[in-house]
Amino acid sequence: MPHTGRTSPGRQLEHPEAAQIRLESVLSALADPVRLRIVSDLARGHEDMACISFELPVSKSTSTHHFRVLREAGVIRQYYEGTSRMSRLRSEELEECFPGLMEAVLRAQGVQV
Amino acid sequence: MPHTGRTSPGRQLEHPEAAQIRLESVLSALADPVRLRIVSDLARGHEDMACISFELPVSKSTSTHHFRVLREAGVIRQYYEGTSRMSRLRSEELEECFPGLMEAVLRAQGVQV
DNA sequence: CTCGTAGTACGAAGATTGTCAAACCATGCT
DNA sequence: AGCATGGTTTGACAATCTTCGTACTACGAG
């Protein structure tokens, strides 16, 4: 099977554009311990991690739910890589929309920024 | 009744100490349009405003609820002044706990910081 | 003392949220 | 083809949240 060395198509994932990211949604997304931990882990150099490698204290479906909330709020970007789904922080875009916000949140979480 | 020129005792209002303020609670408190607006109004120079002068698009009881959420999260400090209740941002303490957080949120709300 | 004003307390209704299990789908490997 | 793995979907449930109206309390003014 031809594999161009790129990501498989998979299903399309909805992402808001940078301009559509709303502060309220971002704050809401970050106001949960599980999601705050996901974000911290991503910021702690674990960019492009598969969902499974987060070892969250919740079930698979709950995990899916939290990643979706983060994605739809515009906090992370996700893409398929084979059978797993990778996530990364949308740092630059968030910095553009809400300068200093993520940095403040991450620092409050004890993440080296 | 002797009136020393100070605030009336009123009922005691619960406020978390600076060290007890949790990031998650603050984010949660800010993740609501009504409360975000209260905070913005307070930051926009309307320090020490009585609840009533906010002209919020909700009923009195709902208003009380939102102010309490903000107070219990440690975002605002409230005290009685006669029959009305004054509120002010706990800016310094928040800056101590989560440097840059409020500033980022307020700027995202278009408030001059 | 009486009245008006500012706010609180107490349900209650309705929406949203976090959680799970079970069934399902997609990809990659053998 | 068949299977294992990683993730999704659906439906359910309990907890929490936002909202309201009504009844109540506290203070100040007349």
Side-chain angles (χ1 to χ4, degrees):
Chain A
M1 160 237 312
H3 190 294
T4 60
R6 298 302 326 226
T7 304
S8 312
R11 199 157 86 39
Q12 282 303 81
L13 291 171
E14 302 275 328
H15 289 86
E17 295 170 30
Q20 299 173 323
I21 299 178
R22 292 181 318 134
L23 174 64
E24 200 189 307
S25 305
V26 172
L27 292 174
S28 201
L30 297 176
D32 175 278
V34 175
R35 294 193 290 262
L36 213 37
R37 174 165 154 190
I38 292 174
V39 169
S40 299
D41 282 359
L42 283 174
R44 249 183 265 274
H46 301 252
E47 284 281 338
D48 300 315
M49 273 172 65
C51 292
I52 194 131
S53 43
F54 285 86
E55 302 194 12
L56 300 172
V58 292
S59 73
K60 274 198 302 178
S61 32
T62 303
S63 196
T64 295
H65 164 69
H66 286 304
F67 277 97
R68 177 166 44 188
V69 172
L70 286 171
R71 174 166 45 82
E72 291 181 345
V75 178
I76 65 175
R77 189 171 287 284
Q78 296 187 291
Y79 56 96
Y80 285 97
E81 184 95 10
T83 168
S84 50
R85 190 140 98 172
M86 301 303 183
S87 301
R88 72 179 323 165
L89 279 180
R90 296 178 65 174
S91 307
E92 297 85 355
E93 289 155 290
L94 287 169
E95 179 64 18
E96 218 181 87
C97 297
F98 315 120
L101 181 62
M102 287 307 290
E103 180 179 329
V105 170
L106 292 173
R107 273 161 69 130
Q109 285 292 100
V111 179
Q112 220 72 314
V113 182
Chain B
M1 163 234 308
H3 191 294
T4 60
R6 298 301 326 226
T7 303
S8 312
R11 202 159 82 43
Q12 281 304 82
L13 290 173
E14 302 274 329
H15 289 88
E17 296 171 28
Q20 298 174 323
I21 299 179
R22 293 181 318 132
L23 174 64
E24 200 189 306
S25 305
V26 172
L27 293 175
S28 203
L30 297 176
D32 176 278
V34 176
R35 294 193 292 263
L36 211 38
R37 174 164 154 190
I38 292 173
V39 170
S40 300
D41 282 359
L42 283 174
R44 249 183 265 272
H46 301 253
E47 284 282 337
D48 302 314
M49 271 172 66
C51 292
I52 193 128
S53 41
F54 285 86
E55 302 195 10
L56 300 172
V58 292
S59 72
K60 273 199 305 180
S61 31
T62 302
S63 196
T64 294
H65 163 69
H66 286 303
F67 277 98
R68 175 165 44 189
V69 172
L70 286 170
R71 173 166 45 82
E72 292 181 346
V75 178
I76 65 176
R77 189 170 288 283
Q78 295 187 291
Y79 57 95
Y80 285 96
E81 184 94 9
T83 168
S84 51
R85 189 140 98 172
M86 299 304 183
S87 301
R88 71 180 324 169
L89 279 180
R90 295 179 65 175
S91 307
E92 297 84 354
E93 290 155 290
L94 287 169
E95 179 64 18
E96 218 181 85
C97 297
F98 315 119
L101 181 61
M102 287 308 289
E103 181 179 327
V105 170
L106 291 173
R107 274 163 67 129
Q109 284 292 100
V111 179
Q112 219 73 311
V113 182

